[in-house]
Amino acid sequence: MSTRSVQVPTPDGTADAVVASPDDGERHPGVLLYPDVIGPRPVIHEMAERLASHGYHVLVPNLFYRHGPAPVVEVPDLTVPENREAFFREALPLLHEHTVERALADAGAYLDFLAARPEVRPGPVGTVGYCFGAVLAVRTAAARPGQVAAAAGFHPGSLVTDAPDSPHRLASDIAAELYFGFAEHDDGMKPEDIARWDDAMDEAGVTCASEVYPGTVHGFTMADTSAFSPSGLDRHWKDLVPLLDRNLTTD
């Protein structure tokens, strides 16, 4: 495996990022991996490397690059409740400043960067996101329906809101196959929200699978937090990789 730091030009500057890919000299389909609000860090890099081991060229951007290189907020031991509270007091303002307009401008830059890399096979790409990164994966799929063929999200942020630009209202713009793994216990996406999400996808004719992972809480894929579920992470791989394989790989 090959993992290295890169710089991605964007309309607002330069985003620091990491790419992971098989070190075999071949070209592989591109995948844009959106991290959670905690941002790029060792556990995210490890996840990118594991995904790359399945034959993908994975880009992980620092979503808050406008405020500096990652880590924009130093990441403490997030298994300690007191540390979590202090961290999110600093991190949440960054999230609130990451507007839809910024997200879409960045998404175009990230996908253009992937498409231009000699290691990336021409053709469809995938997006995957965690927490609020899952919302960005949806927005990216809707913004680039001719390019994004698969999108997945795990313990996503709010996909259903009353806002005019709520992610669930983008269904008619999506051509990708979608997969979402929801936490059983998550105030951000309650059962009624998941039902509204599914109804919106069904009405628009979007191919979308939604599954609730029993015994999990928001953040269950993240091994460096108290929310971590080893079984949830393992299942996430079993659901994610086939989605990408059937949409991004060709004979």
Side-chain angles (χ1 to χ4, degrees), residues 223-247:
D224 59 350
T225 75
S226 58
F228 180 52
S229 166
S231 62
L233 177 63
D234 183 60
R235 178 177 170 182
H236 134 281
W237 289 119
K238 293 176 181 177
D239 292 325
L240 173 60
V241 174
L243 170 78
L244 299 176
D245 286 350
R246 61 178 175 264
N247 287 286

Side-chain angles (χ1 to χ4, degrees), residues 64-119:
F64 302 137
Y65 69 88
R66 293 174 180 83
H67 300 272
V72 177
V73 178
E74 289 297 327
V75 182
D77 179 357
L78 293 175
T79 64
V80 178
E82 293 79 6
N83 289 347
R84 289 178 58 84
E85 293 173 8
F87 174 81
F88 283 105
R89 277 198 299 271
E90 292 189 66
L92 288 180
L94 302 179
L95 173 61
H96 296 150
E97 291 181 26
H98 198 72
T99 62
V100 172
E101 292 74 21
R102 286 184 171 185
L104 293 179
D106 290 346
Y110 300 147
L111 292 183
D112 290 346
F113 180 84
L114 272 175
R117 291 189 69 78
E119 306 96 329

Side-chain angles (χ1 to χ4, degrees), residues 1 20-22 47-56 58:
M1 297 302 303
S21 62
M47 294 172 75
E49 290 170 358
R50 177 161 177 178
L51 183 54
S53 74
H54 290 277
Y56 295 99
V58 184

Side-chain angles (χ1 to χ4, degrees), residues 15-215:
D16 52 300
V18 167
V19 292
S21 62
D23 195 14
D24 58 7
E26 301 293 327
R27 305 179 83 180
H28 298 277
V31 175
L32 172 56
L33 189 158
Y34 284 115
D36 56 10
V37 70
I38 305 170
R41 58 198 191 280
V43 71
I44 292 289
H45 298 159
E46 291 168 9
M47 294 172 75
E49 290 170 358
R50 177 161 177 178
L51 183 54
S53 74
H54 290 277
Y56 295 99
H57 186 91
V58 184
L59 173 66
V60 183
N62 167 23
L63 304 178
F64 302 137
Y65 69 88
R66 293 174 180 83
H67 300 272
V72 177
V73 178
E74 289 297 327
V75 182
D77 179 357
L78 293 175
T79 64
V80 178
E82 293 79 6
N83 289 347
R84 289 178 58 84
E85 293 173 8
F87 174 81
F88 283 105
R89 277 198 299 271
E90 292 189 66
L92 288 180
L94 302 179
L95 173 61
H96 296 150
E97 291 181 26
H98 198 72
T99 62
V100 172
E101 292 74 21
R102 286 184 171 185
L104 293 179
D106 290 346
Y110 300 147
L111 292 183
D112 290 346
F113 180 84
L114 272 175
R117 291 189 69 78
E119 306 96 329
V120 174
R121 179 193 301 173
V125 301
T127 63
V128 57
Y130 303 87
C131 185
F132 102 106
V135 174
L136 300 182
V138 172
R139 294 197 184 282
T140 302
R144 292 283 187 98
Q147 189 174 6
V148 179
F154 298 89
H155 45 84
S158 296
L159 295 173
V160 176
T161 73
D162 293 329
D165 59 359
S166 172
H168 79 289
R169 303 186 195 280
L170 302 174
S172 61
D173 296 328
I174 295 173
E177 179 182 351
L178 306 184
Y179 178 85
F180 282 85
F182 296 96
E184 181 178 13
H185 307 287
D186 190 341
D187 288 339
M189 283 298 293
K190 297 178 180 179
E192 56 267 32
D193 299 320
I194 297 173
R196 287 182 64 192
W197 167 259
D198 288 341
D199 287 346
M201 297 304 110
D202 288 344
E203 184 176 343
V206 176
T207 301
C208 178
S210 297
E211 296 184 301
V212 176
Y213 288 25

